[in-house]
Amino acid sequence: MGDQQPIPHSFNSLFDLHSFMSALEQSLQSIDWNNNIGVVIITLITYEYVLQFEKEVTFVWERQWSVMTYLYLVVRYFGIVLAMVCAVWGGLIYIPEAVSYGMLLFMQWGFSVYFCLAEVVLIWRLYVLYNQSKLVLYVLLGLFLPVIALYVVMDAFLWSRPSAMTVQEIIITPNVKYCTAFHHIGPMPAIYASIPIICYDILLVALAIAVLGKHLKERKELKMKPNTYIVMIVRYHVIYFVLNLASQVIMAILWAHPPIVVMKLVLLYKDTAPLIIVPRFIISLWDTHANDNCVHVSTTFEECVCWTSPPQLEQPEIDCSESRNEVHTCP
């Protein structure tokens, strides 16, 4: 070992300086993107809440409550809490490392709870679409229980073990520091775990499309317009399927150590799109129902005959916009 020449000190200094500057630049870029994305999240969620608040007062606080009302309140306000925690985590405001770790666990477990609640919304809508069939409800709930168990296992394995993920405080200057997460395993566990969830979503969207196909066939034979609400529900099932598929892909991307810009943009999508679309899915149906001047508008939407009655009991094709001064049951 004595014949090994030592590396000159000047080379070590240059190498260390280059590494330090590279790490500093990466940290500054990360905190800058994190803060900008945090401001965007707060702006989008606040704007969406203000935009929908009047409808919420009209269709929630001033109406008879139903199962869907409770689901709406949970996804709306739990979603707002999740979004705000996501916005401030990681640098927008300083949070100690121990608290940051707890907040990160809350975010990841919280999103799993939120997606499960969103699935319950879809299950309940399918239950109503299938004429409140107990068989459909029990089968879907029975198949949903393993999905819930998978979410629990996935969160425990991927997010709650220090060997899989840790939180570290990055100090740029004594006054500029933030916490970030480090993933220590690859994306394959997240990919494998997402497959059953995606399969369950495919089942839900297939059932929705099947009932729409049957409905369109019946209406065509009767020469009647398709029911607005059934079309809307199926459309939202398809949108949610695409949304959840994208969310599962995003979760796998996060474990693949993407560039900072890519990671922050996909997090912006994950932290806003589901939290906006799911409450809108619920309240837009109530809004459409009220604007149709249905005589049963005070009834809970799930029970209203304007879309749950058999086709033969409904009136022939009527343009609601042309009959607003008449009292009728809108198809």
Side-chain angles (χ1 to χ4, degrees):
M1 300 294 291
D3 58 349
Q4 187 174 8
Q5 298 296 322
I7 299 175
H9 179 72
S10 58
F11 179 80
N12 275 339
S13 299
L14 289 174
F15 180 79
D16 292 342
L17 178 61
H18 180 269
S19 299
F20 172 77
M21 294 302 295
S22 176
L24 178 62
E25 181 181 359
Q26 185 176 9
S27 297
L28 289 173
Q29 184 187 24
S30 178
I31 194 171
D32 187 49
W33 269 95
N34 182 86
N35 293 347
N36 291 336
I37 293 298
V39 172
V40 173
I41 291 173
I42 293 174
T43 302
L44 287 175
I45 296 298
T46 303
Y47 176 75
E48 167 67 13
Y49 180 72
V50 172
L51 198 64
Q52 301 296 323
F53 182 72
E54 183 179 358
K55 294 179 181 179
E56 179 179 313
V57 171
T58 302
F59 303 124
V60 176
W61 304 110
E62 296 180 353
R63 293 286 174 85
Q64 177 186 351
W65 283 23
S66 65
V67 172
M68 195 57 64
T69 307
Y70 293 105
L71 287 173
Y72 170 82
L73 291 173
V74 173
V75 296
R76 165 58 77 194
Y77 289 98
F78 182 59
I80 291 175
V81 172
L82 263 181
M84 295 307 163
V85 172
C86 293
V88 302
W89 191 88
L92 191 60
I93 61 174
Y94 173 70
I95 303 171
E97 184 175 328
V99 179
S100 291
Y101 181 73
M103 290 177 65
L104 182 62
L105 291 182
F106 170 78
M107 288 189 293
Q108 301 309 324
W109 283 84
F111 270 106
S112 295
V113 171
Y114 189 88
F115 280 116
C116 287
L117 290 170
E119 299 278 14
V120 172
V121 172
L122 299 183
I123 291 171
W124 190 255
R125 290 302 191 206
L126 280 175
Y127 163 65
V128 178
L129 279 180
Y130 279 86
N131 297 320
Q132 301 187 12
S133 168
K134 298 293 184 181
L135 176 62
V136 171
L137 180 62
Y138 294 152
V139 168
L140 291 179
L141 289 177
L143 294 175
F144 186 49
L145 291 177
V147 174
I148 296 175
L150 181 60
Y151 270 115
V152 172
V153 172
M154 185 169 62
D155 286 342
F157 180 78
L158 294 179
W159 299 102
S160 303
R161 297 184 307 125
S163 59
M165 185 210 62
T166 56
V167 173
Q168 181 179 340
E169 186 178 76
I170 306 297
I171 301 175
I172 300 177
T173 70
N175 296 323
V176 181
K177 41 191 173 180
Y178 68 99
C179 291
T180 188
F182 290 91
H183 302 87
H184 304 303
I185 59 177
M188 296 312 298
I191 292 174
Y192 292 144
S194 67
I195 293 174
I197 298 172
I198 293 172
C199 290
Y200 185 77
D201 287 338
I202 291 174
L203 171 63
L204 295 184
V205 77
L207 289 173
I209 292 174
V211 77
L212 176 63
K214 179 182 178 182
H215 172 75
L216 293 177
K217 182 180 178 181
E218 291 175 348
R219 290 303 179 101
K220 184 177 180 181
E221 292 174 354
L222 296 170
K223 298 182 179 179
M224 298 173 66
K225 291 172 62 176
N227 188 292
T228 303
Y229 309 109
I230 294 179
V231 174
M232 286 183 66
I233 290 174
V234 175
R235 182 189 303 133
Y236 276 109
H237 268 74
V238 174
I239 291 173
Y240 179 79
F241 169 73
V242 175
L243 177 74
N244 201 22
L245 178 62
S247 297
Q248 296 301 323
V249 172
I250 284 171
M251 296 304 295
I253 289 175
L254 293 179
W255 290 92
H257 309 289
I260 292 174
V261 176
V262 175
M263 182 177 67
K264 297 302 180 182
L265 289 177
V266 297
L267 284 175
L268 172 62
Y269 171 84
K270 182 180 77 72
D271 296 344
T272 55
L275 310 180
I276 290 174
I277 290 178
V278 175
R280 273 192 172 236
F281 169 37
I282 301 172
I283 208 165
S284 62
L285 285 169
W286 292 336
D287 186 34
T288 303
H289 184 223
N291 290 331
D292 273 349
N293 286 344
C294 174
V295 295
H296 301 280
V297 72
S298 60
T299 308
T300 57
F301 178 75
E302 290 80 4
E303 304 292 339
C304 185
V305 298
C306 75
W307 76 288
T308 57
S309 57
Q312 64 268 21
L313 298 181
E314 297 182 353
Q315 297 183 11
E317 181 173 339
I318 298 175
D319 187 347
C320 295
S321 62
E322 296 177 357
S323 307
R324 296 213 177 262
N325 296 324
E326 300 178 12
V327 177
H328 66 276
T329 299
C330 182

